[in-house]
Amino acid sequence: MPIFDLVFLEINFGFRKELSAHDAVYQVRHYIREGYAWLSICDLAKFFDTVEHDVLIARVSRKVRDKRVLKLIGTYLQAGVVIGGRLHETREGVPQGGPFSPLLSNILLDELDKELEGRSHRFARYADDFVILVKSRRAGERVMASISRFLEKKLKLKVNQEKSKVAHTNEITFLGFSFTGAKIRWSDKAFVRFKKRIKELTGRSWVFPWTIDCSNWQSIYVAGWGITGYRSCIDQYPNSTTGYVAGYACAT
């Protein structure tokens, strides 16, 4: 039985069973509808590369008492990385793409979640991407300064001040989506990636079928986008979206 997932907050949507980035986006929309139209965005600079091992192991040890397991985790963190054919030490950070890294990141950032909950903030987090919603720019600036101090002093993480900002919900993108009022839209960058991927999957000789078997791998890719993206962006890109998505929406 999982011992960490049981204590994670529901507002943590990253790398968890039956939760997704779409759920995080929906949560932001829910807060927007409640009148929280400003966001504090704290950008964690190279999060997976800068996690301090001692800070992380200390949080793991609150639930894991077996010293052999803790030693194994420490060995995993310090296994090193091969760059240009040479092995380099890893004195900080967690291996990106490693099977254990998503859980370790959630263990560390669970403390952030509980700090925000304790302050009664509205927020959503997916891995190291998170936003805090407030009702005014001034409130957002106060929250930004306070949470930045918490991240840097308590969790020893680096906040990228250049990318962190306070902005209206209409001015930001979160996990590939933007917002117009309480409407979810694809961000321009995400839509360009989508079109490029569709061209890669279909090719010039591919015949567009109006009825698609959803076991087909191209269909699965598009249907996954269709669940959230197609319905929300059709008004935004009425011509090009129809050309790429109409007939693909097996899951909608």
Side-chain angles (χ1 to χ4, degrees):
M1 178 181 293
I3 61 174
F4 286 103
D5 198 73
L6 294 175
V7 300
F8 290 157
L9 299 184
E10 293 181 0
I11 211 73
N12 168 10
F13 298 99
F15 312 115
R16 301 181 67 195
K17 187 177 180 180
E18 298 181 358
L19 294 175
S20 69
H22 289 171
D23 294 312
V25 173
Y26 290 144
Q27 187 66 47
V28 171
R29 180 177 65 181
H30 170 73
Y31 291 142
I32 293 173
R33 286 173 172 171
E34 290 187 335
Y36 294 85
W38 291 85
L39 296 104
S40 294
I41 305 174
C42 290
D43 184 85
L44 297 178
K46 298 181 179 179
F47 170 74
F48 285 95
D49 295 331
T50 59
V51 171
E52 290 197 10
H53 293 168
D54 290 344
V55 175
L56 177 57
I57 291 295
R59 275 125 186 105
V60 174
S61 65
R62 294 173 183 174
K63 287 287 183 182
V64 177
R65 304 296 184 185
D66 193 325
K67 292 183 178 180
R68 295 170 298 177
V69 175
L70 294 174
K71 183 177 179 180
L72 182 62
I73 295 172
T75 302
Y76 169 80
L77 293 173
Q78 298 174 12
V81 60
V82 176
I83 301 176
R86 298 184 60 183
L87 180 65
H88 296 260
E89 292 183 350
T90 47
R91 297 181 179 178
E92 62 179 6
V94 295
Q96 290 197 49
F100 200 30
S101 298
L103 174 59
L104 292 176
S105 66
N106 269 337
I107 291 172
L108 181 61
L109 293 176
D110 181 60
E111 192 160 335
L112 168 66
D113 296 341
K114 292 189 166 92
E115 178 71 15
L116 292 171
E117 183 188 52
R119 301 184 187 189
S120 299
H121 287 314
R122 274 69 174 174
F123 68 100
R125 182 173 69 80
Y126 185 88
D128 60 322
D129 290 313
F130 69 97
V131 292
I132 308 166
L133 288 96
V134 294
K135 290 190 173 181
S136 69
R137 175 180 289 277
R138 188 172 182 180
E141 291 170 348
R142 288 198 303 267
V143 170
M144 170 77 73
S146 177
I147 293 302
S148 294
R149 287 194 298 270
F150 174 83
L151 289 166
E152 293 179 336
K153 293 183 178 180
K154 191 73 180 261
L155 300 183
K156 307 300 181 183
L157 297 172
K158 297 179 176 64
V159 176
N160 186 334
Q161 298 295 342
E162 292 183 0
K163 292 185 177 181
S164 298
K165 61 182 178 180
V166 176
H168 194 276
T169 53
N170 289 349
E171 301 171 354
I172 61 94
T173 60
F174 179 54
L175 302 176
F177 292 90
S178 60
F179 301 89
T180 301
K183 292 183 178 180
I184 301 171
R185 307 294 193 196
W186 280 351
S187 68
D188 292 338
K189 187 180 295 185
F191 188 67
V192 168
R193 288 200 303 268
F194 173 77
K195 292 196 295 183
K196 180 180 178 182
R197 185 60 176 150
I198 292 300
K199 288 180 180 179
E200 292 172 353
L201 292 177
T202 56
R204 285 181 173 271
S205 62
W206 194 75
V207 179
F208 185 87
W210 289 98
T211 303
I212 297 178
D213 177 6
C214 281
S215 64
N216 178 278
W217 61 281
Q218 290 103 326
S219 305
I220 292 172
Y221 173 79
V222 182
W225 274 94
I227 292 170
T228 296
Y230 174 67
R231 287 179 177 174
S232 61
C233 82
I234 190 67
D235 294 330
Q236 184 182 10
Y237 302 104
N239 297 321
S240 55
T241 305
T242 302
Y244 281 96
V245 184
Y248 280 87
C250 301
T252 59

